[in-house]
Amino acid sequence: MRLLSLALLFCLASIVVYSQEPAYDLPIKVGIFDQQVHRSYTTDEGLPDNKVNRIIVTSDGRILAETAMGVAEFDGKRFQSISNSNSNILSQAKLNSKALTSLRKQTSSELEIRSVAEFQDELAVAADLGLYLRKENKWDLVLPRQESVRWAPVDVRAVAYDASGSLWFASPQGVGYRISEEKWKLSTGDEGLPLNNFTCMGIGPESVWFGTTNGAIQYRDSEWFFRQGGRWLLDNHVNDIAVDENGNAWIATTKGVSCITYQSITLAEKASFYENEIEKYHRRTRFGYVNPAVLSVPGDKSTAVAVFTDNDGHRIGIYLAAMSLGYAATGDPQMKQHAEKAFDALVFLSTVTQGGTHPPPKGFFARAVKPTSGPDPNPDFDLAYDLRRRKADTLWKIIQPRWPVDETGEWYWKNDGSVDELDGHFLGYGTYYDHVCETETEKERVRKAVRNTIDHIIDHGYNIVDYDGTPTRWGRMSPDDLNRDPAWVVERGLRSFSILNYLSVAHHITKDPKYHQEYLSLAFDHGYGMNGMTQPKDLAGPGSHGHNDDKMAFMNYYHLLRYETDPILLSMYYRAIHRHWQIEKYEKCPWANFIYAACCMGKVRTDQWGAMDLTPPKSSMDDAIETLKLYPLDLIAWPISNAHRIDMIPLKEHLGNTPGTVGHRNDAYVFPVDERHEIRWGRDPYSLTG
């Protein structure tokens, strides 16, 4: 699980505080919505066997599962075995068999019957040779028609009637339902149908569900939803589906029964849920760094162990910003406490490095820390490790040890600090100072921390310098590197805006004019304002590499635009974020959409070609809210694949990707967040498998 989902739930606070002349009502009110969740039932929950062949919901609401070892009924909590004579599964099969005798006689063929449905005086049959209807004792082969398009479906896999009597069918050709006697609605991948290798169908009060050989599909409110992988199913091959009166989909698989149900929730409750998950599974060390958790047993969160990464500062900085914005929006004192603790953890990364076995210059910060009471991490980062990295990356820095010990002997700290770490630091410092610090004592602590870091960078020629006296691998921000060394050209735009942001935050917090002077010198004399305006890293179009860099770029835009007053620089920054967001908007990412709105609501940029209103459309807020609502409660990194979808458009190799590995929906947007493997912003949302 990742903390970014929590951070975005509070980004609305920044829009409310800083927007001008909104194009729509603020604050945005979401209210209660339905959150889909997955509940699983196996032999541990009473099934006679995990191989479930059929599942039905009877007319009186009973839920029955037919397994290889017998029939079981759901009692509201678990399944209980019953005798076959007490179920209606077998009797239903006999009834259907009797009703089909006349069809086989009329067609004079050995039809393979897939499913049968009945509504009033009409009987529908899905068969290998087509879709058949019987009315007034006469069988007809159905050829559905939508305007000028007529289908002759064969290999029809499932047929059903909904509550209004509309007839539905599913075949490899697609899905269709009858609107009137001669009018049909036909859907293929062009209309958003995810798959067409159907196995079954289930009709509910508000939606239709389809089983396939590689996942389940829901059609609701004229939209298609795809459910695959352990987040949603015990097994991807669906044997049968039944939908109860509450809209819960009961799905039979060879590994048990999956129930996709609904939970009423608000965004505030969802944020609280994520915060509780963070507290249970993702805190590391007494400072509470928020890190990924690894499960030793797939799906079993009780086996979760938070692991170190090289991004303690980046992640705790984002968490600090989240709690600061949360406190601004709600006034919740617990959020203030979380923010204060996160600030202490962030500051510690700059103090733990001082003294000890390999002391770096003042202001140098650790990427991460580990207690010396645990295993020594250095054997995993020895010289052989450095040489392997150097072979793949000629600019890789060889430095040993990579985890020195601090002067107390209590901590290992990881060196080779990077710009992306500082992006998190300064996002956290700025939001904490603006929204949490109330007393002069609190503000002075932030000023001291910011000075400590920014002075290190300035004193070393706009570089992060390690204990060996040379710049770190990812810590170069000097004009010589960014403007004159071809090796760093790809980093030029992103790093230019990073250092400008650090100086802007430093001046905002300390009010020291020297930081503003350095800022103006880089922005104008060395062209850093134009650097960032022309090319944030890897901005090559949808699906291009550098999604972590997209995230970091928007972190820097946030304070750059909110603190800036110079019209020339504002024009540069507005062009940069607007151009960047034109690509990012197709990801429906709240991080990008909310930050863009916080910076550009009510703003107009004028140049020689005229005036451009930068205010985002209401649809961008709707997209962001949709993503927050869809973001799954189950954040385990289950394998999921969209590579086989028929509504997918692959991205081409000219964007730097291997053909067949990336793609998007046929409306140009990425697949929804609950249908992707990627659950951490910064990963590639265009990736088709994971």
Side-chain angles (χ1 to χ4, degrees):
M1 161 165 168
R2 309 298 188 196
L3 62 112
L4 289 181
S5 50
L6 175 64
L8 270 296
L9 297 179
F10 293 118
C11 276
L12 282 174
S14 64
I15 301 173
V16 175
V17 173
Y18 296 106
S19 65
Q20 297 177 10
E21 303 176 20
Y24 31 83
D25 292 336
L26 292 172
I28 297 171
K29 298 179 181 179
V30 177
I32 299 173
F33 61 93
D34 287 335
Q35 175 79 48
Q36 273 195 344
V37 294
H38 171 216
R39 308 194 192 289
S40 59
Y41 302 92
T42 65
T43 53
D44 291 340
E45 288 76 35
L47 286 174
D49 187 76
N50 284 335
K51 186 178 180 181
V52 183
N53 299 316
R54 296 189 62 193
I55 192 158
I56 68 167
V57 176
T58 66
S59 58
D60 57 357
R62 298 166 64 202
I63 298 164
L64 303 170
E66 183 183 55
T67 78
M69 301 298 291
V71 179
E73 180 175 354
F74 187 65
D75 67 6
K77 293 183 178 179
R78 53 187 290 116
F79 281 88
Q80 302 286 344
S81 292
I82 61 174
S83 64
N84 287 351
S85 60
N86 290 335
S87 78
N88 72 348
I89 293 181
L90 298 179
S91 61
Q92 181 188 30
K94 292 177 181 178
L95 175 65
N96 292 342
S97 177
K98 181 179 179 181
L100 297 174
T101 302
S102 62
L103 173 61
R104 286 198 168 94
K105 288 182 178 180
Q106 181 174 321
T107 58
S108 300
S109 62
E110 293 296 326
L111 287 182
E112 182 181 340
I113 305 299
R114 271 61 181 277
S115 72
V116 179
E118 188 173 8
F119 184 81
Q120 295 179 353
D121 61 345
E122 187 175 78
L123 190 67
V125 171
D128 59 337
L129 297 182
L131 173 64
Y132 295 89
L133 285 183
R134 187 184 73 169
K135 198 169 185 178
E136 298 179 352
N137 295 320
K138 180 184 177 183
W139 286 99
D140 289 313
L141 178 65
V142 181
L143 302 175
R145 180 171 183 169
Q146 178 179 318
E147 298 176 349
S148 61
V149 177
R150 175 165 292 226
W151 285 4
V154 295
D155 194 18
V156 181
R157 306 293 178 82
V159 65
Y161 290 93
D162 62 24
S164 67
S166 293
L167 174 63
W168 291 74
F169 74 90
S171 75
Q173 195 166 358
V175 167
Y177 70 88
R178 188 176 59 188
I179 300 172
S180 62
E181 192 67 28
E182 296 295 329
K183 187 176 181 181
W184 290 73
K185 170 66 175 176
L186 306 175
S187 296
T188 66
D190 291 342
E191 288 73 41
L193 177 67
L195 292 177
N196 56 2
N197 51 342
F198 300 104
T199 57
C200 56
M201 187 195 313
I203 298 285
E206 296 181 341
S207 63
V208 182
W209 283 84
F210 302 87
T212 78
T213 60
N214 203 356
I217 300 168
Q218 181 187 24
Y219 183 78
R220 183 182 186 186
D221 298 330
S222 300
E223 291 189 62
W224 298 95
F225 303 90
F226 181 51
R227 298 291 178 250
Q228 192 207 55
R231 181 188 297 155
W232 298 113
L233 298 172
L234 285 169
D235 187 71
N236 287 331
H237 191 288
V238 176
N239 294 329
D240 199 14
I241 292 182
V243 186
D244 65 26
E245 62 182 3
N246 296 316
N248 303 316
W250 297 84
I251 302 172
T253 78
T254 57
K255 295 181 180 178
V257 172
S258 288
C259 179
I260 298 180
T261 183
Y262 295 92
Q263 173 182 333
S264 295
I265 199 170
T266 65
L267 287 182
E269 291 169 341
K270 198 169 184 179
S272 179
F273 170 82
Y274 291 146
E275 179 64 18
N276 289 334
E277 294 288 283
I278 287 172
E279 294 302 314
K280 287 180 183 177
Y281 306 114
H282 296 273
R283 294 289 194 183
R284 195 178 62 78
T285 80
R286 68 171 184 266
F287 290 97
Y289 296 108
V290 180
N291 289 87
V294 173
L295 310 181
S296 57
V297 178
D300 185 354
K301 291 193 292 187
S302 68
T303 66
V305 176
V307 296
F308 85 89
T309 68
D310 59 1
N311 286 294
D312 276 353
H314 181 83
R315 290 194 170 98
I316 204 65
I318 295 173
Y319 185 81
L320 173 58
M323 292 297 98
S324 299
L325 288 169
Y327 178 65
T330 68
D332 185 345
Q334 187 176 41
M335 289 186 180
K336 182 177 182 179
Q337 293 174 8
H338 285 318
E340 291 169 341
K341 183 174 181 179
F343 174 75
D344 290 340
L346 197 56
V347 171
F348 180 70
L349 295 174
S350 293
T351 59
V352 70
T353 60
Q354 301 307 295
T357 60
H358 296 76
K362 181 182 178 182
F364 185 84
F365 57 92
R367 277 181 168 270
V369 295
K370 293 188 71 176
T372 54
S373 58
D376 183 352
N378 282 298
D380 293 330
F381 297 87
D382 59 9
L383 181 59
Y385 165 85
D386 273 345
L387 292 174
R388 288 195 304 273
R389 296 298 299 265
R390 172 68 68 84
K391 187 175 182 180
D393 177 0
T394 58
L395 297 176
W396 183 257
K397 180 174 181 175
I398 295 177
I399 183 170
Q400 294 291 317
R402 197 159 286 270
W403 288 84
V405 176
D406 81 322
E407 65 179 356
T408 70
E410 184 181 359
W411 300 99
Y412 295 108
W413 58 269
K414 193 174 186 183
N415 63 10
D416 204 26
S418 66
V419 172
D420 60 293
E421 294 296 302
L422 287 182
D423 289 343
H425 286 227
F426 279 85
L427 177 71
Y429 286 146
T431 50
Y432 180 66
Y433 182 87
D434 289 341
H435 299 297
V436 178
C437 294
E438 298 166 349
T439 69
E440 187 61 25
T441 300
E442 291 173 329
K443 293 179 180 179
E444 185 56 34
R445 290 190 66 214
V446 185
R447 294 185 191 117
K448 181 179 178 181
V450 168
R451 283 185 184 276
N452 189 44
T453 300
I454 198 67
D455 285 349
H456 172 97
I457 295 171
I458 295 173
D459 292 345
H460 293 92
Y462 295 108
N463 293 307
I464 303 169
V465 171
D466 219 319
Y467 66 74
D468 65 351
T470 66
T472 62
R473 169 65 177 89
W474 300 107
R476 296 174 182 268
M477 295 169 279
S478 73
D480 282 342
D481 286 316
L482 300 189
N483 288 343
R484 290 178 279 278
D485 187 342
W488 300 103
V489 65
V490 72
E491 301 283 340
R492 179 182 296 159
L494 184 64
R495 295 201 187 187
S496 292
F497 270 16
S498 288
I499 183 58
L500 290 179
N501 178 48
Y502 308 157
L503 289 164
S504 177
V505 172
H507 178 250
H508 172 78
I509 290 174
T510 68
K511 303 299 187 290
D512 190 331
K514 76 174 184 180
Y515 299 130
H516 192 55
Q517 292 167 6
E518 297 284 347
Y519 168 83
L520 293 177
S521 175
L522 288 180
F524 288 117
D525 299 340
H526 296 284
Y528 277 31
M530 187 168 288
N531 286 350
M533 172 176 139
T534 53
Q535 60 106 18
K537 182 180 177 184
D538 290 328
L539 194 57
S544 56
H545 296 309
H547 298 280
N548 259 320
D549 299 311
D550 294 332
K551 178 185 70 174
M552 291 183 288
F554 276 82
M555 292 164 72
N556 290 317
Y557 295 144
Y558 182 67
H559 283 134
L560 270 178
L561 280 157
R562 289 178 54 247
Y563 293 161
E564 187 54 71
T565 58
D566 183 278
I568 296 177
L569 288 174
L570 276 173
S571 181
M572 291 180 177
Y573 300 161
Y574 280 135
R575 184 190 187 279
I577 191 173
H578 179 72
R579 176 173 174 264
H580 202 159
W581 184 71
Q582 295 305 312
I583 293 174
E584 289 301 299
K585 66 183 180 182
Y586 292 102
E587 298 176 15
K588 295 189 176 184
C589 173
W591 182 265
N593 287 13
F594 286 161
I595 288 176
Y596 179 79
C599 295
C600 296
M601 188 83 73
K603 304 299 183 182
V604 176
R605 180 179 183 269
T606 302
D607 58 20
Q608 61 266 40
W609 289 283
M612 176 181 290
D613 184 359
L614 302 178
T615 298
K618 182 179 181 298
S619 60
S620 70
M621 294 295 97
D622 295 338
D623 289 344
I625 295 299
E626 174 191 296
T627 296
L628 291 180
K629 290 165 70 174
L630 290 177
Y631 214 90
L633 296 182
D634 181 355
L635 296 182
I636 295 171
W638 296 107
I640 292 177
S641 175
N642 289 307
H644 54 293
R645 292 177 66 143
I646 62 173
D647 62 334
M648 183 268 293
I649 296 178
L651 285 170
K652 304 300 182 182
E653 56 199 284
H654 73 273
L655 291 173
N657 298 291
T658 303
T661 64
V662 288
H664 54 72
R665 298 194 313 190
N666 52 25
D667 63 359
Y669 287 87
V670 297
F671 292 112
V673 68
D674 58 350
E675 299 180 14
R676 305 196 303 261
H677 166 77
E678 168 266 326
I679 53 176
R680 174 168 68 85
W681 284 304
R683 295 282 177 88
D684 185 356
Y686 291 88
S687 178
L688 295 174
T689 60

